[in-house]
Amino acid sequence: MSTRLELLSADACVGDQMYRLVRELYPICRSITGQGVRDTLGTISQEVPIHLSEVPTGTPVFDWAVPREWNVRDAYIKNSCGEKIVDFNKCNLHVLNYSVPVKKEVSLHELKEHLFTLPEHPDWIPYRTSYYQENWGFCITHRQFLELQEEQYEVLIDSTLNEGHLTLGELLIPGESPEEVLLSAHVCHPSLCNDNLSGIALNTFLAKYLSRFRLKYSYRFLFAPGTIGAITWLALNEQRAANIKHGLVMACVGDDGNLSYKKTRSGDAAIDRAAQHILKHSGRPYNLMEFSPDGYDERQFSSPGFKLPVGSLSRTPHGRFAEYHTSADNLDFVRPTNLADSLSKAISIVYVLEHNGKYINQNPKCEPQLGKRGLYRALGGRTETSVSEIAMFWILNLSDGEHDLLDVAERAGLPFCLIKDVSDVLRQHELLKETP
Ligand code: ZN
């Protein structure tokens, strides 16, 4: 592994592989704890060697405690004829996530108090949770809700809520420096694709790709249930968190929307500069969002006791697509080409972090004579200057030890990868030296 990180153009092959992982994980009933998370992490570990750790129920984690572990075997509603009219085995979204066990006969009136629907989308099943308040319930289409008759129903939720564990998946790819880049995805949603299987696929394939190269930074990949998983990891790794110098939370990266980047808490971290530069030079429209203390696990990483510079990469952000947290966030809603594009942009952002640096012009008094080094066109008098010549002038001018290559790229209005390649040539000709 002697090669430094290279860019990846979004190719169909990797998009198909990412989509296959999404499809494989789709049927699993995930939650913030339980076998679904373990099975998900087990599947990811067939792609990249993540390490699983189990944190026992009741473990204090800052102001929280690891909850009881939830598992569900079966759930249904039967009508008075004994027909299953709602079946967990057909769609795991039907069960209110973290439902306590229940088995009883109920009237329509009582049943309705435990049903969740989406009147504005009558054919979609909503995704609802009740992690911290004991409740039972079913999520069904509004169309089915309107068809319910006045009769007795049998409800069964064969779930367990016991002492157990919260499961975390982690992979550290060591680089030359102990300074870390944190890349995180939540793993707690059941059959929902954009939120959150797309983020899992992106994080998995980014880990797979980066592990092929010699890296400057160390890369920590975290697969944790949303909120409580990040809180648990931070509580157990408070010292280690100090090594995190850059970070990205990945979520909703498979839909047709344009790429979005949500800035870190400070808004001017290196990851902010890198991500904005890549989106600006992507040749496509994009969204840039200021930090806000909502969204995914950037909320925990950015809390004032940590203030980690963690931004977030998505396509259409959470809550801004109608399919969000419904059964319509399905396998048709995410596409291999979008997954591949998100991966290639994430790699480009990491590429900037890996290759950015400050240099000193070794011939700072006036311009060095490039022609005698074969770096400048032989013929004078032409009106156009080639883009790599312009890049060379910018690099030489701004390499005073104060500006990094990304500053140069921004000032020159040129893509970072070009500035980086041209700076390599100048270094080979001993016109540039990296600052110590
Ligand atoms: Zn969500």
Side-chain angles (χ1 to χ4, degrees):
M1 248 191 313
S2 55
T3 351
R4 297 296 303 270
L5 180 63
E6 292 166 10
L7 293 167
L8 174 81
S9 54
D11 69 287
C13 178
V14 73
D16 289 340
Q17 289 170 28
M18 292 169 82
Y19 187 81
R20 266 202 294 278
L21 179 62
V22 169
R23 201 170 49 202
E24 193 175 343
L25 296 174
Y26 182 65
I28 300 175
C29 182
R30 276 162 293 270
S31 184
I32 51 174
T33 61
Q35 195 55 36
V37 177
R38 269 179 219 112
D39 291 346
T40 299
L41 297 174
T43 303
I44 296 169
S45 69
Q46 290 166 12
E47 301 286 346
V48 281
I50 57 170
H51 167 78
L52 271 61
S53 49
E54 301 276 1
V55 187
T57 299
T59 305
V61 286
F62 300 125
D63 199 38
W64 303 58
V66 171
R68 286 178 294 167
E69 180 177 324
W70 185 70
N71 286 287
V72 55
R73 280 181 291 267
D74 194 12
Y76 58 75
I77 303 173
K78 282 183 181 172
N79 63 16
S80 55
C81 304
E83 294 162 346
K84 270 188 199 175
I85 56 166
V86 174
D87 187 354
F88 166 77
N89 290 305
K90 289 194 176 144
C91 176
N92 59 40
L93 296 175
H94 278 314
V95 172
L96 174 71
N97 206 286
Y98 252 68
S99 273
V100 295
V102 64
K103 181 175 168 44
K104 62 172 172 176
E105 295 235 327
V106 292
S107 65
L108 177 61
H109 177 76
E110 188 184 349
L111 179 63
K112 279 185 171 175
E113 288 173 3
H114 293 274
L115 294 180
F116 302 88
T117 73
L118 285 171
E120 63 277 29
H121 294 289
D123 292 312
W124 297 356
I125 302 163
Y127 161 58
R128 295 286 180 270
T129 66
S130 190
Y131 300 138
Y132 298 105
Q133 197 174 9
E134 286 200 3
N135 195 3
W136 64 268
F138 288 90
C139 302
I140 64 172
T141 68
H142 197 65
R143 196 172 301 283
Q144 185 168 28
F145 178 84
L146 295 175
E147 286 164 3
L148 293 173
Q149 306 290 319
E150 203 63 65
E151 59 185 316
Q152 284 293 105
Y153 292 90
E154 181 193 338
V155 292
L156 172 109
I157 297 177
D158 183 10
S159 63
T160 52
L161 199 50
N162 294 331
E163 303 280 303
H165 296 85
L166 177 146
T167 317
L168 298 170
E170 212 173 329
L171 170 69
L172 182 74
I173 303 177
E176 288 159 4
S177 163
E179 293 189 340
E180 293 184 5
V181 181
L182 174 70
L183 298 152
S184 130
H186 59 296
V187 292
C188 50
H189 290 35
S191 292
L192 297 167
C193 285
N194 203 33
D195 176 24
N196 70 206
L197 296 178
S198 68
I200 294 176
L202 174 53
N203 228 25
T204 303
F205 280 82
L206 183 59
K208 207 170 173 172
Y209 186 77
L210 292 187
S211 61
R212 291 164 40 192
F213 297 95
R214 183 165 61 88
L215 299 162
K216 178 168 86 176
Y217 290 109
S218 297
Y219 287 81
R220 185 173 297 279
F221 288 85
L222 183 61
F223 297 88
T227 308
I228 188 65
I231 292 171
T232 300
W233 188 86
L234 285 166
L236 301 180
N237 295 277
E238 205 168 342
Q239 298 300 320
R240 212 167 268 164
N243 285 341
I244 295 169
K245 302 301 173 195
H246 316 281
L248 268 183
V249 167
M250 318 290 199
C252 305
V253 290
D255 65 279
D256 285 340
N258 297 320
L259 275 161
S260 303
Y261 176 73
K262 176 179 160 185
K263 293 185 196 173
T264 66
R265 187 178 188 266
S266 76
D268 61 356
I271 188 84
D272 296 318
R273 295 172 60 221
Q276 288 175 77
H277 179 83
I278 293 306
L279 294 188
K280 194 163 81 183
H281 286 270
S282 67
R284 302 251 293 267
Y286 63 94
N287 307 307
L288 205 55
M289 294 174 293
E290 294 300 323
F291 175 79
S292 58
D294 63 353
Y296 296 97
D297 287 330
E298 64 273 21
R299 285 154 42 192
Q300 314 311 330
F301 302 128
S302 307
S303 56
F306 286 99
K307 286 188 196 161
L308 299 179
V310 176
S312 177
L313 188 68
S314 58
R315 301 191 81 86
T316 308
H318 73 97
R320 297 201 199 164
F321 50 97
E323 296 82 355
Y324 174 73
H325 282 187
T326 77
S327 56
D329 182 1
N330 58 22
L331 288 167
D332 296 327
F333 190 63
V334 297
R335 294 208 285 178
T337 47
N338 302 330
L339 292 167
D341 180 60
S342 300
L343 174 66
S344 104
K345 296 304 184 297
I347 291 168
S348 299
I349 294 168
V350 170
Y351 181 91
V352 174
L353 297 176
E354 281 285 308
H355 293 290
N356 196 18
K358 287 178 180 166
Y359 291 87
I360 298 187
N361 181 340
Q362 298 300 290
N363 191 94
K365 294 183 176 163
C366 303
E367 290 172 355
Q369 196 188 348
L370 299 172
K372 72 179 181 191
R373 295 174 170 89
L375 295 173
Y376 199 66
R377 62 200 129 138
L379 275 181
R382 289 187 317 185
T383 47
E384 81 281 10
T385 311
S386 79
V387 70
S388 57
E389 285 167 0
I390 293 169
M392 231 173 337
F393 292 142
W394 274 109
I395 296 165
L396 289 168
N397 190 284
L398 290 177
S399 289
D400 53 4
E402 301 287 318
H403 300 85
D404 59 25
L405 288 184
L406 185 54
D407 289 324
V408 180
E410 284 292 317
R411 286 281 289 273
L414 294 171
F416 177 85
C417 54
L418 171 72
I419 295 293
K420 187 254 167 199
D421 288 347
V422 172
S423 74
D424 285 346
V425 174
L426 292 173
R427 261 190 315 160
Q428 283 154 18
H429 285 83
E430 295 177 350
L431 288 169
L432 274 191
K433 211 173 186 175
E434 192 159 13
T435 56

